[in-house]
Amino acid sequence: MPLKGVPKSISPELLFAIAKMGHGDQLVLADANFPSDSVAQHCTITTPIRVLGNSEEILRDLLQLFPLDQYSSFSAQMMDRVDSDKARDLVVEAYRTTGEAVAPHSSLPVELVERFAFYERAKKSFVVVQTSDARLYANIIVSKGVI
């Protein structure tokens, strides 16, 4: 997109969506395995926006344009591991990289949300942005703040 200051990963559709969002509206950055089409049917924008890249790479670019909600108890929400993955002590790289991506923009923690509760929260979002991220649990919800 030929605009100054807009990261290349931010498509015209995504730029339009975040411009339409208001304070407190939520955006889902979904990994490649997320049921984006079925979840997006419940959102304000009813079809997912698809972008190439890892979830936190898109998040870093998004946060150049998008203020995080500072009136929330978290900077971002991520899908928690299921019990079997906790039992085998699965390490989720996306938890660390997402924390690093939001840290310059918020001192609030990243909240982990049980899988099915995450799906329900995602259904209440403004938009679902599906990335090409194939890593497990690379699903992020962020709330738009004020400028």
Side-chain angles (χ1 to χ4, degrees), residues 84-130:
S84 61
D85 286 339
K86 289 178 183 178
R88 66 183 181 109
D89 202 25
L90 177 73
V91 175
V92 179
E93 177 193 17
Y95 294 165
R96 178 186 56 78
T97 57
T98 298
E100 291 170 355
V102 298
H105 305 276
S106 176
S107 60
L108 297 170
V110 173
E111 178 183 45
L112 297 180
V113 179
E114 186 273 332
R115 177 182 173 205
F116 293 105
F118 188 93
Y119 290 143
E120 291 306 310
R121 289 182 190 190
K123 288 177 182 177
K124 296 175 185 172
S125 293
F126 191 88
V127 64
V128 175
V129 179
Q130 184 156 37

Side-chain angles (χ1 to χ4, degrees), residues 11-33:
S11 67
E13 295 82 9
L14 181 51
L15 186 62
F16 182 69
I18 64 174
K20 288 179 67 174
M21 293 174 69
H23 177 238
D25 280 338
Q26 295 186 319
L27 177 145
V28 178
L29 283 168
D31 65 27
N33 298 299

Side-chain angles (χ1 to χ4, degrees), residues 44 49 76 82 135 142:
T44 303
I49 297 171
V82 298
R135 297 173 303 158
V142 291

Side-chain angles (χ1 to χ4, degrees), residues 29 54-68 70 75-76 78 93-110 133 135 140 142:
L29 283 168
N54 284 349
S55 297
E56 87 280 344
E57 292 168 351
I58 305 302
L59 178 61
R60 286 179 199 276
D61 288 348
L62 182 67
L63 291 177
Q64 293 180 43
L65 307 170
F66 183 101
L68 288 174
Q70 299 300 312
S75 59
M78 295 189 74
E93 177 193 17
Y95 294 165
R96 178 186 56 78
T97 57
T98 298
E100 291 170 355
V102 298
H105 305 276
S106 176
S107 60
L108 297 170
V110 173
D133 199 336
R135 297 173 303 158
I140 308 162
V142 291

Side-chain angles (χ1 to χ4, degrees), residues 28 34-43 46 119 122-124 128:
V28 178
F34 192 81
S36 294
D37 286 281
S38 60
V39 169
Q41 292 177 6
H42 303 274
C43 298
T46 58
Y119 290 143
K123 288 177 182 177
K124 296 175 185 172
V128 175

